[in-house]
Amino acid sequence: MYRLKVNGQTHEVDVEADTPLLWVLRDTLGLTGTKYGCGIAACGACTVHVDGTAQRSCVLPVEAVGEAEVTTIEGLSPDGKSHPVQRAWVELDVPQCGYCQSGQIMAAAGLLAGNADPSPNEVRDGITNLCRCGTYERIHAGVKRAAELMKA
Amino acid sequence: MTTMPLSRRGLIKSTALAGGGFALAFALPLTTRYALAETPPETSRVTAFLEIYPDGTVRFLNPFAEMGQGVYTAIPQVVAEEMDADLARFIVMQAPVAPEYKVLFDGTLRFTGGSTSVRGSFGAMRNAGATARAMLLTAAAERWGVDPSELAVENHVVRHAASDREAGFGDLAQQAAALEPPREVTLKDEKDFRLIGQSPPRTDTPLKVNGTAWFGIDTKVEGMVHAAIRQCPVFEGKVASIDDAAARKLPGVVDVVNLDNAVAALADSWWRAKKAVDAVDITWDEGPLADFSSEGMLNDQMARVDETGVPAEDEGDAPKALRGAETVVEATYVLPFLAHATMEPMNCTADVRADGCDVWAPNQGADSVATLAEQVTGLPHDRIRVHTPYLGGGFGRRFIIDYAAQAMLLSMKAKRPVKLVWSREEDTTHDYYRPQTVVKARGAVKDGRIQATHITVVGDGPLRRHMKQFLADPDLDESVFEGLVTKPYQIEARRTDYVYHEIPVPIGFWRSVGNSVSGYAYESFMDEMAHAAGADPMDFRLAHLGEGSSARGVLEKVRDIAGYKKGIYDADGERRVMGIALHESFGSMVGEIAEVSIEAGAPKVHKVWCAIDVGTVVNPAIVKAQLMSAIAYGLSAALIEEVTLEKGRVQQANFDTYPFLPPDRMPEVVAEVLTLDRPMGGVGEPGTPPIAAAVANAVFQLTGERVRRLPFGRRELKQVEAEGATVKG
């Protein structure tokens, strides 16, 4: 049994120690906004925040989470649309199929939390999540726009 | 949520209309809006595209699956145009399986692919919108006792200016529902379009920024168990025996099921199911393909490039012209198997009961899911409901619904709902691959002109494999030679031979299908012929394109927006070249110019300029996004993607061994959408075919090395140092 703090709520979950946080979120807690893409931390579709830092939850065993605060896409903003990254994503219609976008948004929000004004190179190095639809250019534009919205 | 059985309320107008075969309905009030993830109630019996609620909300049932290509915006956009409705008030949902939703090919087919959705349903969707508008207008006219001609409709409101009265669509809906739909409606003059040709916001974006968009993998059904699967690593192989004793003892495990060519474990979470299936000791009977290798098959294909095949095109006497020619160019191109690598792995949830079944299947053809369900479950058609979620990418993979059959079988065995999710490894190793194909081209060139071309393609196609019934002649499988024939270039003698070479492993439709092969081979060869003629590749192409043609218009446009430079030039301390390619597919003409340098032995693509002629454009922003996406997909394949098989096994498994284009290799894309004189063309795929050739053509100019086997990543290109030279040429 593990006690997990997710999106401000504490949950007790009865799973094995090596269960990746991703599957606890999706199957035990029903938070399916966080996606499974590869299971080897290669694509980033499963990105969540652990104590504010973007992490790939598909390789993070639940026992390693401990007392940390986990934030998923469902908890990024109270209304599901007001985080600057979400606002920017809507403004620029960033997603296509959308499957990777929870992870992209969490990666972008994580980057901006630590660096309010990242350079294009910092965005490129900071968000390595894959997108099969090729929305990369709008993701980069979205991060730039979100940074502007955060300043405003 | 209110789950009102709409069809039983007797207020649904469901009338077949002349020519269109669609119907409209105006629904009763609902106390709550449907959540977008919900499937409409009584899905198999609601025969309608549109339902209007008292608050003016329009529920639009879309016959096409949204997989990123924008049909949840562009299709209702067309409806809203003719309806004079406010697109922002549309809720877009997936239509159930019903004949009314077969809107393609004169009302005979429903599928999502072939870059067909918007162009194939444009007329039907305009009709649907215009019919709704006419009924709302008539309702208002009857209410106010005025002539319909005195009324105006604008942005969801009907107005009578003379008496200063107005009524919203929501207010009029119930009254309109009592009317017979008109037999004929008048469509707008194109010059009066106010929404078609604009780029309103996508209807799916808000759901895709907060995790609420429902993908198949997110399906939750009461009483559901999770399934993970291991399929025989060798195609056509079977399970010889299993030892599942250890697996069954693991926590949460419900069952282990032998599916004959695969083993699945069922558990109370997917991770537990995955651990269980990995713990099953399986002995495989590897079957007839245990010695198959893709390289071995390639050798066989290469040995056949000079065979006479079935003529896919034969104009003039190209072989004779080539025999008598002074300058003959010959080149053979090799293209590998490719995986689709959709971000969302294959998955399906099925609930098969004695009295019916529900299938939640990401798919590109809902009707084929229903047909499959009949076959697998033995249930009659009217007891089967198919639910189509948002697709986490399709690219042609989800035409083939092998995973849906597995989920149904597992549900039948478990007697409860089962959600089957393939691991990434299963997804990569059990795809339906872009066929490995060899193309040999021969061209006679004289005085700067092509006298004759003779092309031979050796391979196998997904049409013959999966949709033979649509081929007039099974030997003429256009999914193999499309894009090698009916070229825009003026060449007098042309022959294309199709040499059928059966591929024993699964093949399928991969974004742009045969054009992903032909675009690379043909347009690489154009540059090879230009080089032999001593001509600049742009000039050489233009010399073979008719004045005023779409192809010429597109090529000139992309030349101009790129500021095309001939030969090698220096930029940012690198030597760079602009490579060109031009390719028509799915009814659209696309020209691309790639600016390329060589970095660490690989092509570095800095920027791609792209022009497309689509004839008529509905949503330019979506078209541009699709071009960017199609270029990413094609460039990814050209640079790094390759599926190989040894001992009957796919050698790549996850994104570490089957990587695709990462963000730092994505070039800037500048796209221009043209509407020249052609019927409306497709959008989702035509951007993919040219990019590999555009890059290959640039690489040749830079390095002198002609890359004739993809991907580029197979070899290290020689470094090209900047010399401080200015433009050559």
Side-chain angles (χ1 to χ4, degrees):
Chain A
M1 193 74 78
Y2 294 87
R3 284 170 69 88
L4 279 183
K5 287 188 211 160
V6 181
N7 299 334
Q9 286 190 311
T10 303
H11 301 267
E12 296 209 335
V13 296
D14 183 13
V15 296
E16 289 73 66
D18 65 348
T19 309
L21 175 63
L22 169 67
W23 296 105
V24 177
L25 294 171
R26 288 185 56 83
D27 290 350
T28 312
L29 303 181
L31 296 168
T32 53
T34 306
K35 302 303 190 212
Y36 165 65
C38 65
I40 58 167
C43 75
C46 63
T47 304
V48 298
H49 294 176
V50 179
D51 278 344
T53 304
Q55 288 209 31
R56 296 186 175 181
S57 65
C58 71
V59 293
L60 183 64
V62 67
E63 66 173 346
V65 177
E67 291 292 301
E69 296 270 358
V70 176
T71 306
T72 71
I73 186 73
E74 290 90 346
L76 184 64
S77 61
D79 58 359
K81 59 184 181 185
S82 59
H83 189 282
V85 174
Q86 290 171 318
R87 286 163 61 201
W89 252 237
V90 169
E91 198 176 301
L92 300 179
D93 265 343
V94 171
Q96 284 187 29
C97 91
Y99 192 79
C100 73
Q101 295 294 341
S102 294
Q104 302 281 3
I105 289 166
M106 296 308 284
L111 174 74
L112 290 170
N115 179 356
D117 193 17
S119 69
N121 280 344
E122 285 169 335
V123 173
R124 203 186 60 188
D125 295 343
I127 305 177
T128 55
N129 296 30
L130 298 177
C131 171
R132 189 59 161 156
C133 298
T135 65
Y136 297 128
E137 209 171 300
R138 287 198 304 284
I139 287 169
H140 290 181
V143 174
K144 190 177 168 203
R145 179 65 185 138
E148 290 168 8
L149 290 169
M150 284 169 74
K151 276 181 227 158
Chain B
M1 196 198 92
T2 307
T3 53
M4 191 173 293
L6 295 170
S7 61
R8 292 179 191 155
R9 290 299 174 114
L11 279 175
I12 301 298
K13 278 289 166 197
S14 174
T15 308
L17 301 179
F22 60 85
L24 293 159
F26 294 86
L28 277 171
L30 290 181
T31 50
T32 52
R33 281 187 181 194
Y34 293 113
L36 270 150
E38 296 290 345
T39 301
E42 294 298 303
T43 49
S44 60
R45 284 170 290 279
V46 176
T47 54
F49 286 109
L50 290 164
E51 295 164 3
I52 303 173
Y53 298 108
D55 67 355
T57 300
V58 177
R59 192 174 79 160
F60 175 69
L61 295 183
N62 201 326
F64 302 105
E66 176 60 69
M67 45 194 179
Q69 84 283 36
V71 289
Y72 269 34
T73 306
I75 300 285
Q77 189 177 341
V78 172
V79 175
E81 172 71 67
E82 290 290 349
M83 200 174 158
D84 284 318
D86 178 5
L87 183 64
R89 298 168 85 170
F90 274 54
I91 290 181
V92 185
M93 298 179 62
Q94 183 66 201
V97 170
E100 291 82 354
Y101 302 111
K102 295 185 182 190
V103 293
L104 299 177
F105 296 96
D106 294 326
T108 60
L109 288 173
R110 171 191 184 180
F111 62 87
T112 311
S115 301
T116 306
S117 300
V118 173
R119 61 184 170 132
S121 72
F122 193 55
M125 292 302 152
R126 289 183 69 187
N127 259 315
T131 302
R133 183 187 188 276
M135 292 169 77
L136 291 158
L137 193 79
T138 303
E142 287 182 0
R143 182 184 292 183
W144 298 326
V146 300
D147 193 88
S149 65
E150 295 171 27
L151 301 176
V153 188
E154 194 185 346
N155 201 33
H156 242 67
V157 174
V158 183
R159 281 198 181 81
H160 185 239
S163 62
D164 198 25
R165 281 179 289 193
E166 64 177 45
F169 282 1
D171 182 13
L172 294 164
Q174 218 166 342
Q175 200 182 331
L179 301 170
E180 281 295 315
R183 289 273 150 194
E184 281 183 34
V185 289
T186 308
L187 301 180
K188 283 185 181 177
D189 195 313
E190 287 184 18
K191 70 174 169 37
D192 297 326
F193 285 163
R194 64 187 167 88
L195 197 51
I196 290 174
Q198 304 300 310
S199 300
R202 289 178 66 122
T203 63
D204 53 346
T205 300
L207 303 166
K208 291 178 175 177
V209 304
N210 63 17
T212 59
W214 167 53
F215 295 89
I217 201 169
D218 304 329
T219 302
K220 292 170 205 158
V221 184
E222 189 72 32
M224 170 182 94
V225 290
H226 301 259
I229 197 164
R230 266 173 73 204
Q231 301 165 94
C232 183
V234 181
F235 294 109
E236 293 189 28
K238 294 191 182 314
V239 176
S241 64
I242 64 171
D243 177 355
D244 60 10
R248 286 178 180 278
K249 287 184 194 132
L250 292 171
V253 175
V254 173
D255 200 0
V256 175
V257 182
N258 182 342
L259 287 171
D260 194 37
N261 61 357
V263 175
L266 276 50
D268 60 358
S269 78
W270 188 80
W271 181 252
R272 283 175 165 176
K274 173 75 165 61
K275 296 259 283 193
V277 82
D278 287 347
V280 180
D281 188 6
I282 309 170
T283 306
W284 303 105
D285 169 2
E286 297 188 349
L289 297 176
D291 290 324
F292 179 81
S293 92
S294 49
E295 199 66 21
M297 190 186 87
L298 178 60
N299 292 335
D300 296 340
Q301 288 175 293
M302 295 293 276
R304 302 187 64 188
V305 292
D306 289 317
E307 282 185 25
T308 299
V310 180
E313 183 174 57
D314 199 8
E315 289 288 325
D317 192 337
K320 186 181 171 191
L322 280 155
R323 280 194 298 274
E326 281 175 35
T327 307
V328 173
V329 188
E330 280 194 3
T332 301
Y333 304 93
V334 174
L335 294 102
F337 288 111
L338 294 171
H340 294 82
T342 61
M343 287 295 293
E344 180 192 17
M346 297 306 110
N347 68 86
C348 179
T349 304
D351 179 16
V352 184
R353 305 169 305 273
D355 65 338
C357 91
D358 285 82
V359 185
W360 294 263
N363 70 78
Q364 293 182 242
D367 292 323
S368 59
V369 178
T371 303
L372 179 73
E374 283 180 72
Q375 292 164 355
V376 173
T377 67
L379 289 162
H381 188 77
D382 65 355
R383 303 312 304 160
I384 290 159
R385 291 192 295 196
V386 177
H387 312 263
T388 303
Y390 284 117
L391 275 55
F395 314 118
R397 173 61 180 89
R398 294 186 220 265
F399 274 118
I400 316 298
I401 44 178
D402 45 340
Y403 46 89
Q406 293 169 342
M408 292 177 218
L409 289 168
L410 292 172
S411 176
M412 289 164 76
K413 175 74 167 47
K415 296 189 166 42
R416 60 198 291 184
V418 174
K419 175 160 79 176
L420 169 69
V421 176
W422 287 13
S423 67
R424 174 57 57 192
E425 289 80 4
E426 289 296 322
D427 191 279
T428 306
T429 54
H430 290 83
D431 201 341
Y432 286 76
Y433 305 94
R434 197 282 302 275
Q436 177 175 293
T437 309
V438 175
V439 180
K440 179 171 179 179
R442 312 153 190 89
V445 180
K446 190 179 180 187
D447 302 331
R449 285 202 66 88
I450 306 166
Q451 296 172 293
T453 55
H454 179 196
I455 299 169
T456 306
V457 57
V458 183
D460 194 353
L463 267 183
R464 182 190 183 119
R465 182 70 54 93
H466 301 290
M467 299 179 182
K468 209 170 181 174
Q469 67 273 26
F470 296 117
L471 287 175
D473 178 349
D475 290 327
L476 279 174
D477 181 351
E478 64 192 75
S479 66
V480 180
F481 56 76
E482 59 189 353
L484 294 173
V485 298
T486 56
K487 302 301 292 184
Y489 301 115
Q490 294 166 332
I491 302 167
E492 269 182 34
R494 308 179 308 278
R495 181 175 169 102
T496 300
D497 277 279
Y498 171 30
V499 175
Y500 171 61
H501 188 89
E502 188 183 359
I503 296 178
V505 296
I507 55 172
F509 302 91
W510 188 96
R511 195 174 192 169
S512 82
V513 197
N515 292 289
S516 71
V517 172
S518 57
Y520 163 70
Y522 196 100
E523 281 296 293
S524 292
F525 193 61
M526 277 303 288
D527 259 46
E528 301 216 36
M529 290 190 288
H531 182 69
D536 170 76
M538 176 65 75
D539 295 342
F540 188 71
R541 283 179 176 79
L542 288 171
H544 291 84
L545 294 173
E547 288 292 338
S549 65
S550 166
R552 194 180 183 93
V554 164
L555 193 55
E556 287 174 343
K557 174 58 74 173
V558 74
R559 175 195 67 192
D560 294 346
I561 61 174
Y564 175 69
K565 301 183 183 85
K566 292 179 180 180
I568 300 171
Y569 57 93
D570 282 7
D572 291 339
E574 293 171 333
R575 314 222 74 198
R576 293 185 185 178
V577 156
M578 290 184 177
I580 307 163
L582 177 74
H583 191 88
E584 184 177 28
S585 60
F586 306 94
S588 293
M589 182 68 71
V590 176
E592 290 172 10
I593 291 179
E595 184 186 47
V596 180
S597 66
I598 306 296
E599 188 180 287
K604 166 87 181 164
V605 184
H606 298 269
K607 193 166 178 176
V608 177
W609 294 267
C610 174
I612 185 170
D613 176 17
V614 291
T616 301
V617 63
V618 171
N619 188 312
I622 287 177
V623 176
K624 288 182 181 179
Q626 280 301 294
L627 289 170
M628 197 181 286
S629 173
I631 287 167
Y633 207 74
L635 180 61
S636 180
L639 293 178
I640 52 180
E641 289 181 41
E642 177 174 34
V643 165
T644 55
L645 291 100
E646 281 174 35
K647 296 196 178 303
R649 291 162 162 80
V650 170
Q651 299 298 294
Q652 296 73 27
N654 205 319
F655 294 152
D656 50 352
T657 47
Y658 193 86
F660 64 83
L661 196 76
D664 61 354
R665 294 191 81 173
M666 179 74 198
E668 182 187 350
V669 174
V670 177
E672 183 94 8
V673 182
L674 306 179
T675 52
L676 304 176
D677 184 22
R678 66 163 57 223
M680 183 188 282
V683 163
E685 292 162 281
T688 294
I691 187 64
V695 176
N697 292 339
V699 166
F700 173 70
Q701 287 195 60
L702 275 167
T703 66
E705 288 181 81
R706 177 52 70 175
V707 176
R708 297 195 183 94
R709 182 172 181 180
L710 293 180
F712 289 96
R714 294 184 61 85
R715 60 200 271 187
E716 196 166 315
L717 299 168
K718 66 184 180 196
Q719 202 58 36
V720 183
E721 301 300 334
E723 291 172 0
T726 50
V727 175
K728 279 185 186 173

